[in-house]
Amino acid sequence: MSDVAALPSRRPNRMWAVVILILLEAALVISWSAGFVGIRFAIDHAPLFLILFWRSLVSGLILLPFALTVGPKIRLQDAVPQMLFGALAMSGYLAGFALAISYGVPTGLVALITDMLPLAVAILSWPVLGQALTARQWLGSFIGLTGVLIASGWSLDIGNVPLWAYGLPVLGTLSLALATLLQKRSPAGAMPVHQSLSIQCLSAAAIFALFSWHEGSVLPVLDPGFVGGILWLVFVATFGAWSLYYLALKKSSPARVTAILYLSPPVTMIWAFVMFGEPLSWAMAVGLAVSLVGIVIVARAQQPAGGQSPAHA
């Protein structure tokens, strides 16, 4: 009798749990998209590599005290591979999509291309891990790339964007995929995320400092737009997105969280349209839908060769 009486009280608790999960996932998608929007906003106030330098430096320095005091002692043999991962995952990925945005590639299209990470991981799994693609992975890759071509075909006519600029986010995504697979193979890949992320951010900051110095200066710009953009990229796009990502993984399954993140390109497209007036089109919508089908096919058929790197967005 007591078990029957307890049933009605369990339903509201379960309903609230579902509501909280949906709100958490919505916040995750928004914060995941914030990296692309933040870069698009910040480049109106400062040179690109200066933005990437200060984003990486501030993120790494904030995490450094926790990396040194919380968790196992950082050994040199573990730190060196993390520096390599930072060069690939942070420097290569961030520079790739940020440069594409700075050259005028639509922000939503950049988000769509970089969301092809499962395809890039699947393609690189054969040379890096010796895992050949299955028939479903080939099919998903073909569908996903077809969607990108449909979405980008229209955007080629909306401005004077150099054709090679569309390859920058592709190279960045391949760089992130390579770092993801190498990190999976390396014993250093088991380092706690706050330690690995701090090292990767600081190593990327060192690389971006060289490019920023070549651009003219590494000193911050005393402009509210620059300061606000850096704070946005650090606390929303980096710490916020990844905190929500790991929290969502605790509340739900990896498959569901990954599927939720596929909503970030359309959110980014709408966000860029509202904030910056970047045009939308039916071709971009159709291409987006086609590519997401391909990504889902690849992600479901893929061996668990590693999750996404903390460098995303």
Side-chain angles (χ1 to χ4, degrees):
M1 185 70 179
S2 59
D3 292 338
V4 176
L7 287 177
S9 63
R10 291 177 182 174
R11 290 177 182 174
N13 292 335
R14 186 175 300 175
M15 181 185 68
W16 277 111
V18 172
V19 171
I20 292 173
L21 179 60
I22 292 175
L23 292 176
L24 173 63
E25 291 170 342
L28 173 61
V29 172
I30 293 173
S31 62
W32 207 257
S33 306
F36 304 102
V37 177
I39 289 291
R40 173 62 182 83
F41 172 80
I43 58 176
D44 291 336
H45 301 274
L48 173 64
F49 285 108
L50 185 66
I51 297 167
L52 296 178
F53 165 65
W54 280 100
R55 169 191 173 158
S56 302
L57 181 63
V58 173
S59 298
L61 290 178
I62 291 176
L63 287 172
L64 185 59
F66 301 98
L68 295 175
T69 58
V70 180
K73 183 179 179 180
I74 300 177
R75 301 178 301 174
L76 180 61
Q77 58 264 40
D78 293 330
V80 171
Q82 294 297 338
M83 295 177 186
L84 172 62
F85 303 148
L88 289 172
M90 286 284 181
S91 303
Y93 173 74
L94 292 178
F97 87 73
L99 279 170
I101 292 174
S102 70
Y103 277 107
V105 180
T107 309
L109 180 59
V110 172
L112 173 59
I113 295 174
T114 57
D115 220 37
M116 309 295 277
L117 179 62
L119 275 64
V121 169
I123 292 172
L124 292 178
S125 290
W126 178 69
V128 177
L129 299 179
Q131 297 176 351
L133 268 68
T134 64
R136 288 188 63 184
Q137 288 175 321
W138 279 115
L139 174 63
S141 300
F142 176 77
I143 294 174
L145 293 176
T146 299
V148 171
L149 292 176
I150 293 173
S152 60
W154 176 84
S155 68
L156 293 175
D157 300 327
I158 67 174
N160 298 319
V161 181
L163 185 61
W164 55 265
Y166 290 85
L168 291 172
V170 177
L171 293 176
T173 303
L174 289 173
S175 178
L176 176 57
L178 179 59
T180 301
L181 293 172
L182 291 176
Q183 191 164 354
K184 184 65 177 179
R185 290 185 55 181
S186 171
M191 180 181 290
V193 65
H194 67 285
Q195 294 182 331
S196 62
L197 187 55
S198 177
I199 296 174
Q200 291 182 22
C201 285
L202 292 176
S203 61
I207 295 174
F208 288 140
L210 296 175
F211 288 96
S212 180
W213 177 79
H214 181 73
E215 281 184 332
S217 175
V218 295
L219 298 178
V221 177
L222 299 180
D223 178 85
F226 173 79
V227 175
I230 295 299
L231 293 177
W232 176 272
L233 289 170
V234 170
F235 290 101
V236 179
T238 302
F239 297 152
W242 278 93
S243 297
L244 290 169
Y245 176 74
Y246 287 115
L247 183 58
L249 285 178
K250 291 183 179 180
K251 299 288 186 180
S252 183
S253 66
R256 179 183 172 103
V257 175
T258 302
I260 289 297
L261 288 179
Y262 297 152
L263 296 175
S264 62
V267 170
T268 303
M269 289 180 182
I270 296 172
W271 207 341
F273 169 74
V274 173
M275 287 189 63
F276 312 113
E278 293 190 3
L280 298 173
S281 73
W282 283 109
M284 293 180 74
V286 172
L288 173 68
V290 172
S291 66
L292 292 185
V293 170
I295 294 173
V296 171
I297 292 175
V298 171
R300 290 186 174 181
Q302 189 171 317
Q303 296 289 337
Q308 302 209 35
S309 168
H312 199 293

